[in-house]
Amino acid sequence: MDNSQKLRKQVKDEFMQYLSDHKHRKTPERFAILDHIYNTKGHFDMDSLYKSMVDVNFRVSRATLYNTIELLLDCGLVVKHQFGGNISKYERAYGNENHDHIICTSCGEVWETKNGNLFTPAQQRKIKKFTVSYYSMYIYGICSKCSHAKKIALRRLNNEAKK
């Protein structure tokens, strides 16, 4: 069994335990959504998740997606991000290395960049009675593409003003 299969089995077992503990139904749709999320890397929003599931011929209602995401958030298998705007983005919680999110405030594009471990063993000992599951850093700025476009627009305005 490769690492991907082990990870999917682990999250399935955790989800199964969570559903049992909280007396939720164990439906095939919920497990299909979980498996689909863990077969996909990167961020997703609810519309892209719905579309990607329809693209692989899995029929699921938006209501089921939203309800399942809430369960996956509650049991810690999915992480929710607000990078700006009104759209929530999600990503799987397990199988991701710690990483930073670089967000362009102009176009809204999001990139991931790997970081080292922010917590040294000494810092981890200082956080007593607290187990770090994951962490994320958001870095906001303007990407080179938007910065370049802004410079060109300013040059055009300056050239037009000189005429």
Side-chain angles (χ1 to χ4, degrees):
M1 189 182 301
D2 69 2
N3 286 341
S4 172
Q5 290 172 321
K6 286 179 188 174
L7 176 65
R8 290 199 338 258
K9 182 182 179 336
Q10 176 191 354
V11 296
K12 182 180 179 183
D13 291 346
E14 282 193 37
F15 194 40
M16 181 86 73
Q17 187 64 49
Y18 170 85
L19 293 173
S20 294
D21 291 348
H22 293 84
K23 298 180 178 26
H24 292 292
R25 292 180 305 130
K26 298 171 194 81
T27 66
E29 292 83 6
R30 288 178 174 166
F31 288 101
I33 292 166
L34 174 68
D35 195 54
H36 189 79
I37 289 169
Y38 273 82
N39 273 326
T40 308
K41 290 199 178 219
H43 304 109
F44 61 91
D45 58 39
M46 295 306 288
D47 286 337
S48 65
L49 177 61
Y50 177 77
K51 185 180 179 330
S52 67
M53 293 199 76
V54 167
D55 287 348
V56 294
N57 294 321
F58 188 83
R59 298 180 66 88
V60 64
S61 73
R62 288 184 187 271
T64 299
L65 279 181
Y66 279 97
N67 292 333
T68 302
I69 283 292
E70 289 303 317
L71 295 174
L72 294 172
L73 286 166
D74 192 47
C75 72
L77 293 174
V78 171
V79 179
K80 181 178 182 178
H81 298 285
Q82 286 294 146
F83 295 128
N86 292 331
I87 298 175
S88 297
K89 296 279 189 168
Y90 304 88
E91 70 180 331
R92 60 192 199 178
Y94 291 106
N96 282 337
E97 296 175 350
N98 284 325
H99 58 276
D100 300 327
H101 295 96
I102 300 173
I103 303 110
C104 178
T105 56
S106 183
C107 67
E109 190 72 32
V110 178
W111 296 271
E112 290 183 354
T113 181
K114 291 181 181 158
N115 59 29
N117 191 347
L118 291 178
F119 296 107
T120 64
Q123 289 169 319
Q124 288 176 0
R125 283 192 295 275
K126 286 182 184 178
I127 308 174
K128 295 179 182 170
K129 297 182 183 176
F130 187 82
T131 302
V132 176
S133 300
Y134 64 90
Y135 55 88
S136 178
M137 184 182 336
Y138 301 130
I139 304 167
Y140 292 90
I142 298 178
C143 70
S144 59
K145 182 178 161 186
C146 289
S147 180
H148 181 71
K150 188 175 182 179
K151 286 177 188 175
I152 289 173
L154 282 173
R155 281 188 202 140
R156 282 187 192 144
L157 283 174
N158 286 336
N159 289 340
E160 288 175 11
K162 290 178 184 178
K163 290 182 184 179

